[in-house]
Amino acid sequence: MDRLASFGNDPFDKPPCRGCSSYLAEPYIKCAECGPSPFLLCLQCFTRGFEYKKHQSDHRYEIMTSDFPVLEPGWTAQEEMALLEAVMDCGFGNWQDVAYQMRTKSKEECESHYMKNYINNPLFSSTLLSLRQAEESRTADSAIPFKPTDDPPRPTFDSVLSRDMAGYMPARADFMEEFDNYAEWDLKDIDFVDDDSDILHALKVSVVDIYHSRLKERQRRKKIIRDHGLINLRKFQILERCYPKEVQELYDVMRRFARVAGPIEHDKFIESHALEFELRREIRRLQEYRKAGIKSFCSAKVYERVKRVREDERRKRTMLCDVLQYIQDGRACQQWLSKQAAIDAGITPVVTTITMSGRRSAPPLNLTGLPGTEKLDEREKELCQVVRLVPGAYLEYKQALLNECRRQGGLRLAQARALIKIDVNKTRKIYDFLIKEGYINKA
Protein backbone atom coordinates (compact mmCIF):
# COMPACT_ATOMS: atom_id res chain seq x y z
CA MET A 1 0.00 0.00 0.00
CA ASP A 2 1.71 3.17 -1.21
CA ARG A 3 1.20 6.71 -0.03
CA LEU A 4 1.44 9.14 -2.90
CA ALA A 5 1.01 12.88 -3.26
CA SER A 6 -2.37 14.17 -4.29
CA PHE A 7 -3.21 16.38 -7.24
CA GLY A 8 -3.53 19.52 -5.09
CA ASN A 9 -5.47 21.12 -2.27
CA ASP A 10 -8.40 22.12 -4.44
CA PRO A 11 -10.80 19.18 -4.86
CA PHE A 12 -11.80 20.51 -8.25
CA ASP A 13 -8.23 19.84 -9.47
CA LYS A 14 -8.74 16.06 -9.03
CA PRO A 15 -10.60 13.76 -11.43
CA PRO A 16 -14.04 12.66 -10.18
CA CYS A 17 -14.71 9.23 -8.72
CA ARG A 18 -15.40 6.67 -11.45
CA GLY A 19 -18.19 5.16 -9.34
CA CYS A 20 -20.33 8.03 -8.05
CA SER A 21 -18.77 10.94 -10.06
CA SER A 22 -18.24 12.94 -6.87
CA TYR A 23 -15.11 15.01 -6.32
CA LEU A 24 -12.41 13.01 -4.57
CA ALA A 25 -11.24 13.83 -1.06
CA GLU A 26 -8.17 12.32 0.51
CA PRO A 27 -7.62 9.52 1.10
CA TYR A 28 -8.92 7.84 -2.05
CA ILE A 29 -8.11 4.69 -4.03
CA LYS A 30 -6.21 4.24 -7.29
CA CYS A 31 -6.29 0.94 -9.13
CA ALA A 32 -2.74 -0.34 -9.73
CA GLU A 33 -3.71 -2.57 -12.70
CA CYS A 34 -6.05 -0.41 -14.76
CA GLY A 35 -4.48 2.12 -17.09
CA PRO A 36 -3.01 4.03 -18.72
CA SER A 37 -5.55 6.64 -17.47
CA PRO A 38 -5.86 6.43 -13.66
CA PHE A 39 -8.92 4.62 -12.32
CA LEU A 40 -9.83 6.46 -9.10
CA LEU A 41 -12.48 5.59 -6.53
CA CYS A 42 -13.69 7.23 -3.35
CA LEU A 43 -13.66 5.15 -0.16
CA GLN A 44 -17.42 4.54 -0.26
CA CYS A 45 -17.37 3.06 -3.79
CA PHE A 46 -14.25 1.04 -2.93
CA THR A 47 -15.90 -0.53 0.15
CA ARG A 48 -18.95 -1.44 -1.96
CA GLY A 49 -16.69 -3.31 -4.41
CA PHE A 50 -17.49 -1.12 -7.43
CA GLU A 51 -16.59 -2.76 -10.76
CA TYR A 52 -16.62 -1.13 -14.19
CA LYS A 53 -15.60 -2.65 -17.55
CA LYS A 54 -12.10 -4.14 -17.03
CA HIS A 55 -11.82 -3.01 -13.45
CA GLN A 56 -12.46 -5.75 -10.90
CA SER A 57 -12.87 -5.45 -7.16
CA ASP A 58 -9.93 -7.82 -6.52
CA HIS A 59 -7.38 -5.70 -8.39
CA ARG A 60 -4.33 -4.41 -6.54
CA TYR A 61 -4.75 -0.83 -5.39
CA GLU A 62 -2.91 2.15 -3.93
CA ILE A 63 -4.12 4.54 -1.24
CA MET A 64 -3.59 8.10 -2.44
CA THR A 65 -2.89 10.57 0.36
CA SER A 66 -0.58 13.45 1.15
CA ASP A 67 -0.80 13.02 4.91
CA PHE A 68 2.88 12.18 5.38
CA PRO A 69 5.97 14.31 6.15
CA VAL A 70 8.30 15.40 3.32
CA LEU A 71 10.89 17.87 4.58
CA GLU A 72 10.52 17.63 8.35
CA PRO A 73 8.21 15.97 10.89
CA GLY A 74 5.06 17.85 11.72
CA TRP A 75 4.59 19.16 8.19
CA THR A 76 2.64 16.92 5.83
CA ALA A 77 2.89 17.07 2.06
CA GLN A 78 -0.55 18.65 1.92
CA GLU A 79 0.56 21.39 4.31
CA GLU A 80 3.73 21.94 2.24
CA MET A 81 1.63 22.55 -0.86
CA ALA A 82 -0.76 24.77 1.11
CA LEU A 83 2.21 26.82 2.37
CA LEU A 84 3.62 27.32 -1.12
CA GLU A 85 0.22 28.33 -2.49
CA ALA A 86 -0.33 30.74 0.42
CA VAL A 87 3.06 32.39 -0.12
CA MET A 88 2.27 32.68 -3.83
CA ASP A 89 -1.13 34.26 -3.07
CA CYS A 90 -0.16 36.54 -0.16
CA GLY A 91 3.43 37.36 -1.10
CA PHE A 92 6.73 36.56 0.59
CA GLY A 93 6.94 38.11 4.06
CA ASN A 94 3.20 38.41 4.74
CA TRP A 95 3.34 35.57 7.24
CA GLN A 96 0.23 36.69 9.13
CA ASP A 97 -1.89 36.32 5.99
CA VAL A 98 -0.12 33.09 5.06
CA ALA A 99 -0.93 31.58 8.46
CA TYR A 100 -4.53 32.79 8.21
CA GLN A 101 -4.92 31.09 4.82
CA MET A 102 -3.31 27.83 6.03
CA ARG A 103 -5.39 27.67 9.25
CA THR A 104 -3.25 24.84 10.69
CA LYS A 105 0.02 26.68 11.43
CA SER A 106 0.97 29.87 13.24
CA LYS A 107 2.76 32.88 11.78
CA GLU A 108 6.08 31.94 13.40
CA GLU A 109 5.84 28.32 12.27
CA CYS A 110 5.18 29.33 8.65
CA GLU A 111 8.07 31.78 8.57
CA SER A 112 10.64 29.51 10.23
CA HIS A 113 9.67 26.48 8.12
CA TYR A 114 9.74 28.40 4.83
CA MET A 115 13.05 30.11 5.57
CA LYS A 116 14.66 26.87 6.76
CA ASN A 117 13.50 24.56 3.99
CA TYR A 118 12.98 26.79 0.95
CA ILE A 119 15.37 29.74 1.38
CA ASN A 120 18.33 28.48 3.43
CA ASN A 121 18.17 24.85 2.31
CA PRO A 122 21.58 23.94 0.76
CA LEU A 123 19.92 21.48 -1.61
CA PHE A 124 17.64 24.13 -3.09
CA SER A 125 20.45 26.71 -3.10
CA SER A 126 22.69 24.44 -5.17
CA THR A 127 19.80 23.71 -7.52
CA LEU A 128 19.07 27.41 -8.02
CA LEU A 129 22.79 28.07 -8.52
CA SER A 130 23.02 25.41 -11.22
CA LEU A 131 19.93 26.81 -12.94
CA ARG A 132 21.39 30.33 -12.79
CA GLN A 133 24.71 29.11 -14.22
CA ALA A 134 22.89 27.26 -17.00
CA GLU A 135 20.93 30.41 -17.85
CA GLU A 136 24.12 32.49 -17.87
CA SER A 137 25.89 30.00 -20.12
CA ARG A 138 22.91 29.95 -22.44
CA THR A 139 22.92 33.73 -22.80
CA ALA A 140 26.69 34.23 -22.61
CA ASP A 141 27.06 34.75 -26.36
CA SER A 142 24.15 37.13 -26.67
CA ALA A 143 24.29 40.83 -25.83
CA ILE A 144 21.56 43.08 -24.52
CA PRO A 145 20.69 45.10 -27.60
CA PHE A 146 18.81 48.37 -27.73
CA LYS A 147 15.30 47.39 -28.68
CA PRO A 148 13.83 49.33 -31.59
CA THR A 149 11.45 52.01 -30.44
CA ASP A 150 8.16 50.21 -31.00
CA ASP A 151 6.07 52.68 -29.04
CA PRO A 152 8.09 55.79 -28.10
CA PRO A 153 6.63 58.58 -25.96
CA ARG A 154 4.08 60.85 -27.62
CA PRO A 155 4.74 64.30 -26.10
CA THR A 156 2.78 67.41 -26.91
CA PHE A 157 4.04 69.60 -29.72
CA ASP A 158 6.93 71.94 -28.87
CA SER A 159 7.32 70.52 -25.35
CA VAL A 160 10.72 69.84 -23.77
CA LEU A 161 10.40 66.11 -24.37
CA SER A 162 9.40 66.73 -27.98
CA ARG A 163 12.51 68.85 -28.49
CA ASP A 164 14.65 66.17 -26.83
CA MET A 165 13.24 63.70 -29.35
CA ALA A 166 14.22 66.08 -32.18
CA GLY A 167 10.58 66.60 -33.13
CA TYR A 168 9.94 62.90 -33.79
CA MET A 169 6.31 62.10 -34.63
CA PRO A 170 5.58 58.47 -33.57
CA ALA A 171 2.31 58.22 -35.48
CA ARG A 172 4.11 59.00 -38.76
CA ALA A 173 7.52 57.50 -37.83
CA ASP A 174 8.97 60.75 -39.12
CA PHE A 175 10.63 63.92 -37.86
CA MET A 176 9.18 67.40 -37.82
CA GLU A 177 12.43 68.67 -39.31
CA GLU A 178 14.43 66.15 -41.33
CA PHE A 179 18.16 66.00 -41.79
CA ASP A 180 19.14 68.30 -44.66
CA ASN A 181 15.62 69.62 -44.48
CA TYR A 182 15.93 71.99 -47.46
CA ALA A 183 17.33 69.48 -49.95
CA GLU A 184 14.17 69.70 -52.05
CA TRP A 185 14.65 73.40 -52.70
CA ASP A 186 17.25 72.66 -55.39
CA LEU A 187 14.59 70.74 -57.37
CA LYS A 188 11.64 73.06 -57.09
CA ASP A 189 12.48 75.04 -60.25
CA ILE A 190 13.85 72.17 -62.36
CA ASP A 191 11.71 71.19 -65.33
CA PHE A 192 12.74 68.76 -68.06
CA VAL A 193 11.66 69.97 -71.50
CA ASP A 194 12.29 68.55 -74.96
CA ASP A 195 14.28 71.50 -76.31
CA ASP A 196 16.95 71.31 -73.53
CA SER A 197 20.48 71.09 -74.79
CA ASP A 198 22.58 68.05 -73.94
CA ILE A 199 24.67 70.00 -71.43
CA LEU A 200 21.60 71.47 -69.69
CA HIS A 201 19.93 68.04 -69.59
CA ALA A 202 23.06 66.46 -68.11
CA LEU A 203 23.24 69.27 -65.52
CA LYS A 204 19.64 68.68 -64.44
CA VAL A 205 20.25 64.92 -64.18
CA SER A 206 23.30 65.61 -61.99
CA VAL A 207 21.22 67.78 -59.67
CA VAL A 208 18.66 64.99 -59.35
CA ASP A 209 21.44 62.48 -58.61
CA ILE A 210 22.79 64.75 -55.90
CA TYR A 211 19.31 65.01 -54.43
CA HIS A 212 19.02 61.21 -54.41
CA SER A 213 22.33 60.91 -52.55
CA ARG A 214 21.10 63.41 -49.95
CA LEU A 215 17.91 61.40 -49.51
CA LYS A 216 19.98 58.24 -49.00
CA GLU A 217 22.00 59.99 -46.29
CA ARG A 218 18.79 61.13 -44.61
CA GLN A 219 17.41 57.61 -44.72
CA ARG A 220 20.69 56.18 -43.39
CA ARG A 221 20.61 58.46 -40.36
CA LYS A 222 16.98 57.62 -39.60
CA LYS A 223 17.78 53.92 -39.85
CA ILE A 224 20.63 54.30 -37.34
CA ILE A 225 18.31 56.11 -34.93
CA ARG A 226 15.61 53.46 -35.23
CA ASP A 227 17.95 50.45 -35.06
CA HIS A 228 19.76 51.72 -31.97
CA GLY A 229 16.58 52.86 -30.23
CA LEU A 230 17.75 56.46 -29.87
CA ILE A 231 14.26 57.95 -30.05
CA ASN A 232 13.32 57.06 -26.49
CA LEU A 233 16.03 58.91 -24.59
CA ARG A 234 14.69 57.82 -21.21
CA LYS A 235 15.08 54.16 -22.13
CA PHE A 236 18.53 54.85 -23.56
CA GLN A 237 19.70 56.59 -20.37
CA ILE A 238 18.40 53.82 -18.10
CA LEU A 239 20.28 51.20 -20.09
CA GLU A 240 23.45 53.29 -20.04
CA ARG A 241 23.32 53.64 -16.24
CA CYS A 242 23.34 49.86 -15.84
CA TYR A 243 27.10 49.84 -16.52
CA PRO A 244 29.86 50.84 -14.07
CA LYS A 245 31.22 54.37 -14.29
CA GLU A 246 34.34 53.31 -16.19
CA VAL A 247 32.27 51.44 -18.77
CA GLN A 248 29.90 54.41 -19.08
CA GLU A 249 32.84 56.63 -20.02
CA LEU A 250 33.90 54.12 -22.67
CA TYR A 251 30.29 53.92 -23.85
CA ASP A 252 30.18 57.68 -24.30
CA VAL A 253 33.42 57.64 -26.32
CA MET A 254 32.45 54.68 -28.51
CA ARG A 255 28.92 55.93 -29.23
CA ARG A 256 30.14 57.75 -32.34
CA PHE A 257 31.26 54.43 -33.83
CA ALA A 258 27.79 52.89 -33.47
CA ARG A 259 26.95 54.07 -36.99
CA VAL A 260 29.68 51.82 -38.39
CA ALA A 261 28.46 48.62 -36.76
CA GLY A 262 24.94 47.35 -36.25
CA PRO A 263 23.16 47.60 -32.90
CA ILE A 264 23.83 43.98 -31.94
CA GLU A 265 27.54 44.20 -32.81
CA HIS A 266 27.91 47.51 -31.01
CA ASP A 267 26.21 46.20 -27.86
CA LYS A 268 28.31 43.05 -27.93
CA PHE A 269 31.38 45.27 -28.06
CA ILE A 270 30.24 47.26 -25.01
CA GLU A 271 29.19 44.10 -23.16
CA SER A 272 32.57 42.50 -23.81
CA HIS A 273 34.33 45.55 -22.37
CA ALA A 274 32.04 45.48 -19.35
CA LEU A 275 32.94 41.82 -18.86
CA GLU A 276 36.62 42.69 -19.28
CA PHE A 277 36.29 45.37 -16.61
CA GLU A 278 34.71 42.89 -14.19
CA LEU A 279 37.42 40.30 -14.91
CA ARG A 280 40.21 42.83 -14.41
CA ARG A 281 38.72 43.92 -11.11
CA GLU A 282 38.46 40.30 -9.99
CA ILE A 283 42.05 39.65 -11.10
CA ARG A 284 43.29 42.64 -9.09
CA ARG A 285 41.45 41.31 -6.07
CA LEU A 286 43.02 37.86 -6.50
CA GLN A 287 46.45 39.44 -6.98
CA GLU A 288 45.96 41.33 -3.73
CA TYR A 289 45.14 38.04 -2.01
CA ARG A 290 48.22 36.37 -3.50
CA LYS A 291 50.43 39.30 -2.49
CA ALA A 292 49.13 38.95 1.08
CA GLY A 293 49.93 35.21 1.02
CA ILE A 294 46.32 34.05 0.90
CA LYS A 295 45.71 30.75 -0.88
CA SER A 296 42.07 29.90 -0.03
CA PHE A 297 38.76 31.76 -0.20
CA CYS A 298 38.15 30.99 3.47
CA SER A 299 41.29 32.95 4.32
CA ALA A 300 40.19 35.65 1.88
CA LYS A 301 37.01 36.22 3.88
CA VAL A 302 39.06 36.65 7.06
CA TYR A 303 41.39 39.02 5.19
CA GLU A 304 38.49 41.16 3.97
CA ARG A 305 37.04 41.35 7.47
CA VAL A 306 40.39 42.35 8.99
CA LYS A 307 40.93 44.84 6.15
CA ARG A 308 37.63 46.56 6.95
CA VAL A 309 38.55 46.74 10.63
CA ARG A 310 41.92 48.22 9.72
CA GLU A 311 40.31 50.84 7.49
CA ASP A 312 37.87 51.75 10.26
CA GLU A 313 40.76 52.21 12.66
CA ARG A 314 42.57 54.40 10.12
CA ARG A 315 39.44 56.52 9.71
CA LYS A 316 39.21 56.94 13.47
CA ARG A 317 42.80 58.18 13.61
CA THR A 318 42.30 60.68 10.81
CA MET A 319 39.22 62.08 12.53
CA LEU A 320 41.54 63.63 15.13
CA CYS A 321 42.49 66.22 12.49
CA ASP A 322 38.85 67.26 12.31
CA VAL A 323 38.75 68.23 15.95
CA LEU A 324 42.13 69.96 16.15
CA GLN A 325 40.89 72.95 14.18
CA TYR A 326 38.00 73.32 16.62
CA ILE A 327 40.06 72.70 19.74
CA GLN A 328 39.02 76.06 21.16
CA ASP A 329 35.35 75.42 20.39
CA GLY A 330 33.71 73.31 23.07
CA ARG A 331 30.63 72.61 20.97
CA ALA A 332 32.73 71.39 18.05
CA CYS A 333 34.70 69.14 20.36
CA GLN A 334 31.44 67.72 21.68
CA GLN A 335 30.37 67.01 18.09
CA TRP A 336 33.59 65.14 17.37
CA LEU A 337 33.28 63.10 20.56
CA SER A 338 29.71 62.14 19.65
CA LYS A 339 30.85 61.06 16.18
CA GLN A 340 33.68 59.01 17.71
CA ALA A 341 31.28 57.32 20.13
CA ALA A 342 28.90 56.45 17.27
CA ILE A 343 31.72 54.83 15.27
CA ASP A 344 32.90 52.86 18.32
CA ALA A 345 29.32 51.61 18.79
CA GLY A 346 29.24 50.35 15.19
CA ILE A 347 26.58 52.74 13.90
CA THR A 348 26.69 55.43 11.24
CA PRO A 349 27.81 58.73 12.77
CA VAL A 350 25.39 61.64 12.57
CA VAL A 351 27.07 64.56 10.82
CA THR A 352 26.03 68.03 11.95
CA THR A 353 27.20 71.36 10.61
CA ILE A 354 28.50 74.02 12.99
CA THR A 355 27.76 77.53 11.77
CA MET A 356 29.41 80.76 12.93
CA SER A 357 26.27 81.67 14.85
CA GLY A 358 26.40 78.45 16.85
CA ARG A 359 23.25 76.93 15.27
CA ARG A 360 23.32 73.32 14.15
CA SER A 361 21.39 71.81 11.28
CA ALA A 362 19.04 68.94 11.99
CA PRO A 363 20.69 65.50 11.94
CA PRO A 364 19.92 63.18 9.01
CA LEU A 365 16.81 61.05 9.33
CA ASN A 366 17.35 57.44 10.37
CA LEU A 367 15.57 55.28 7.78
CA THR A 368 15.99 51.98 9.63
CA GLY A 369 12.70 50.11 9.71
CA LEU A 370 10.70 52.77 7.86
CA PRO A 371 8.23 51.43 5.26
CA GLY A 372 9.39 51.80 1.66
CA THR A 373 13.11 52.02 2.45
CA GLU A 374 13.83 48.82 0.51
CA LYS A 375 12.37 50.44 -2.65
CA LEU A 376 14.97 53.25 -2.66
CA ASP A 377 18.45 53.17 -4.15
CA GLU A 378 21.44 54.57 -2.27
CA ARG A 379 21.16 58.09 -3.69
CA GLU A 380 17.46 58.26 -2.88
CA LYS A 381 18.14 57.08 0.67
CA GLU A 382 20.74 59.80 1.05
CA LEU A 383 18.24 62.39 -0.21
CA CYS A 384 15.56 61.24 2.24
CA GLN A 385 18.06 61.40 5.10
CA VAL A 386 19.21 64.91 4.22
CA VAL A 387 15.76 66.43 3.68
CA ARG A 388 14.33 64.35 6.57
CA LEU A 389 11.56 62.84 4.48
CA VAL A 390 10.09 59.38 5.13
CA PRO A 391 10.47 56.96 2.14
CA GLY A 392 6.72 56.46 1.73
CA ALA A 393 6.09 60.18 1.31
CA TYR A 394 9.06 60.55 -1.03
CA LEU A 395 7.82 57.74 -3.29
CA GLU A 396 4.37 59.35 -3.40
CA TYR A 397 5.82 62.76 -4.30
CA LYS A 398 8.14 61.22 -6.88
CA GLN A 399 5.29 59.37 -8.61
CA ALA A 400 3.17 62.54 -8.66
CA LEU A 401 5.99 64.53 -10.27
CA LEU A 402 6.69 61.77 -12.81
CA ASN A 403 3.03 61.60 -13.81
CA GLU A 404 2.79 65.37 -14.18
CA CYS A 405 6.03 65.52 -16.20
CA ARG A 406 4.82 62.73 -18.45
CA ARG A 407 1.50 64.50 -18.96
CA GLN A 408 3.00 67.93 -19.62
CA GLY A 409 6.15 66.77 -21.42
CA GLY A 410 8.25 68.65 -18.84
CA LEU A 411 8.01 70.19 -15.39
CA ARG A 412 8.95 73.53 -13.85
CA LEU A 413 9.88 74.13 -10.23
CA ALA A 414 6.81 76.29 -9.71
CA GLN A 415 4.59 73.45 -10.93
CA ALA A 416 6.34 71.02 -8.58
CA ARG A 417 5.78 73.36 -5.62
CA ALA A 418 2.12 73.70 -6.52
CA LEU A 419 1.81 69.92 -6.77
CA ILE A 420 3.65 69.09 -3.53
CA LYS A 421 2.43 71.01 -0.51
CA ILE A 422 5.55 70.76 1.67
CA ASP A 423 8.46 73.02 2.58
CA VAL A 424 9.65 74.85 -0.55
CA ASN A 425 13.30 74.05 0.20
CA LYS A 426 12.53 70.32 0.38
CA THR A 427 10.58 70.57 -2.85
CA ARG A 428 13.54 72.24 -4.58
CA LYS A 429 15.92 69.50 -3.39
CA ILE A 430 13.56 66.76 -4.60
CA TYR A 431 13.03 68.56 -7.91
CA ASP A 432 16.78 69.11 -8.48
CA PHE A 433 17.50 65.48 -7.56
CA LEU A 434 14.94 64.09 -10.04
CA ILE A 435 16.29 66.41 -12.76
CA LYS A 436 19.87 65.33 -12.05
CA GLU A 437 19.01 61.63 -12.08
CA GLY A 438 17.05 61.96 -15.34
CA TYR A 439 13.63 61.01 -13.97
CA ILE A 440 12.00 64.25 -15.15
CA ASN A 441 12.82 67.03 -17.60
CA LYS A 442 12.68 70.80 -17.21
CA ALA A 443 9.87 72.50 -19.09
Side-chain angles (χ1 to χ4, degrees):
M1 183 172 64
D2 299 328
R3 296 185 297 176
L4 302 176
S6 65
F7 289 87
N9 292 334
D10 192 353
F12 297 97
D13 292 340
K14 306 182 184 70
C17 171
R18 297 295 294 271
C20 60
S21 300
S22 61
Y23 288 104
L24 295 172
E26 294 183 0
Y28 55 93
I29 306 301
K30 175 185 177 183
C31 180
E33 298 183 14
C34 297
S37 60
F39 192 92
L40 307 178
L41 292 173
C42 63
L43 294 181
Q44 290 76 10
C45 294
F46 175 75
T47 54
R48 291 199 303 267
F50 177 79
E51 295 182 348
Y52 180 73
K53 293 184 178 180
K54 296 182 179 181
H55 174 70
Q56 302 297 323
S57 59
D58 58 351
H59 282 181
R60 290 182 293 109
Y61 61 91
E62 300 171 353
I63 300 178
M64 307 295 289
T65 179
S66 58
D67 188 19
F68 59 92
V70 178
L71 298 178
E72 64 179 35
W75 282 79
T76 64
Q78 187 173 5
E79 289 176 330
E80 297 285 354
M81 291 186 293
L83 175 63
L84 295 178
E85 290 181 1
V87 172
M88 185 180 300
D89 294 339
C90 304
F92 177 77
N94 297 326
W95 303 114
Q96 187 68 40
D97 297 337
V98 171
Y100 179 79
Q101 181 169 327
M102 284 198 60
R103 306 282 186 180
T104 59
K105 299 294 181 181
S106 65
K107 168 187 174 182
E108 292 75 14
E109 290 175 332
C110 294
E111 180 178 4
S112 61
H113 181 78
Y114 191 88
M115 297 299 295
K116 175 184 176 182
N117 295 282
Y118 294 101
I119 301 298
N120 301 322
N121 193 329
L123 174 62
F124 292 164
S125 300
S126 60
T127 304
L128 293 176
L129 179 61
S130 61
L131 291 175
R132 188 179 300 111
Q133 292 174 347
E135 178 67 17
E136 291 177 355
S137 62
R138 185 179 66 84
T139 59
D141 297 333
S142 60
I144 305 175
F146 289 126
K147 300 297 182 183
T149 310
D150 298 328
D151 189 16
R154 298 173 181 251
T156 58
F157 174 72
D158 203 26
S159 62
V160 176
L161 184 57
S162 176
R163 291 193 294 270
D164 290 341
M165 294 170 58
Y168 183 76
M169 297 176 288
R172 296 175 52 184
D174 212 344
F175 290 91
M176 184 69 66
E177 184 173 344
E178 297 285 355
F179 169 75
D180 198 1
N181 197 48
Y182 300 100
E184 288 77 8
W185 280 29
D186 296 336
L187 296 178
K188 63 185 182 67
D189 295 327
I190 292 182
D191 187 15
F192 288 88
V193 294
D194 296 336
D195 56 352
D196 286 341
S197 63
D198 295 340
I199 297 178
L200 182 58
H201 182 81
L203 179 60
K204 293 181 179 180
V205 171
S206 299
V207 172
V208 174
D209 291 339
I210 293 173
Y211 171 69
H212 285 167
S213 63
R214 296 166 75 177
L215 287 183
K216 290 180 180 179
E217 177 62 19
R218 179 188 297 175
Q219 188 65 24
R220 185 185 72 87
R221 291 173 178 256
K222 292 171 66 174
K223 184 176 185 300
I224 292 175
I225 292 175
R226 284 196 299 266
D227 291 346
H228 288 269
L230 303 181
I231 297 294
N232 195 342
L233 291 179
R234 174 68 178 156
K235 183 178 179 181
F236 182 84
Q237 293 170 352
I238 291 176
L239 181 60
E240 190 177 23
R241 285 201 295 266
C242 294
Y243 296 109
K245 181 179 179 181
E246 294 79 2
V247 180
Q248 289 183 19
E249 295 176 354
L250 173 68
Y251 199 104
D252 187 62
V253 174
M254 298 303 297
R255 185 180 297 133
R256 66 195 66 181
F257 298 103
R259 68 184 70 180
V260 180
I264 302 297
E265 291 76 9
H266 178 71
D267 291 334
K268 282 186 177 181
F269 176 78
I270 299 298
E271 287 287 328
S272 63
H273 278 275
L275 178 60
E276 179 188 4
F277 172 78
E278 296 293 336
L279 293 177
R280 287 181 180 274
R281 184 168 58 182
E282 186 68 16
I283 290 173
R284 286 195 297 269
R285 188 170 69 91
L286 296 176
Q287 288 175 341
E288 181 184 358
Y289 292 160
R290 179 59 60 88
K291 186 177 180 180
I294 298 174
K295 299 182 179 180
S296 65
F297 283 104
C298 182
S299 302
K301 294 180 180 179
V302 178
Y303 172 78
E304 291 290 345
R305 184 166 61 251
V306 174
K307 180 180 177 181
R308 287 194 297 269
V309 174
R310 186 167 60 249
E311 291 176 351
D312 292 341
E313 292 294 335
R314 185 183 297 110
R315 187 174 64 252
K316 292 177 183 178
R317 290 194 299 269
T318 56
M319 288 182 65
L320 181 60
C321 300
D322 299 337
V323 76
L324 289 178
Q325 55 182 329
Y326 300 115
I327 197 66
Q328 301 298 328
D329 190 346
R331 185 171 297 171
C333 291
Q334 185 65 33
Q335 175 191 355
W336 183 86
L337 292 174
S338 300
K339 186 191 300 184
Q340 185 71 24
I343 292 179
D344 292 338
I347 61 178
T348 303
V350 176
V351 181
T352 57
T353 303
I354 305 296
T355 62
M356 295 304 294
S357 62
R359 297 179 61 188
R360 294 186 300 174
S361 62
L365 179 64
N366 185 8
L367 303 181
T368 304
L370 294 180
T373 305
E374 68 281 356
K375 299 179 181 180
L376 306 180
D377 57 26
E378 294 301 325
R379 290 187 292 273
E380 290 178 322
K381 291 179 182 178
E382 182 179 354
L383 174 67
C384 291
Q385 289 176 337
V386 172
V387 302
R388 298 184 60 79
L389 191 65
V390 296
Y394 165 75
L395 292 173
E396 182 179 350
Y397 298 152
K398 174 185 174 183
Q399 188 61 42
L401 294 177
L402 290 178
N403 293 338
E404 184 68 16
C405 178
R406 193 178 299 112
R407 189 175 65 86
Q408 297 288 344
L411 193 66
R412 297 194 304 271
L413 178 60
Q415 294 174 322
R417 286 175 174 171
L419 195 63
I420 302 178
K421 301 298 183 180
I422 59 176
D423 182 67
V424 293
N425 296 322
K426 292 185 178 182
T427 304
R428 170 176 282 279
K429 291 180 179 180
I430 296 174
Y431 177 80
D432 293 341
F433 174 80
L434 296 179
I435 290 290
K436 181 180 178 181
E437 295 297 323
Y439 289 107
I440 61 177
N441 300 304
K442 288 186 177 181

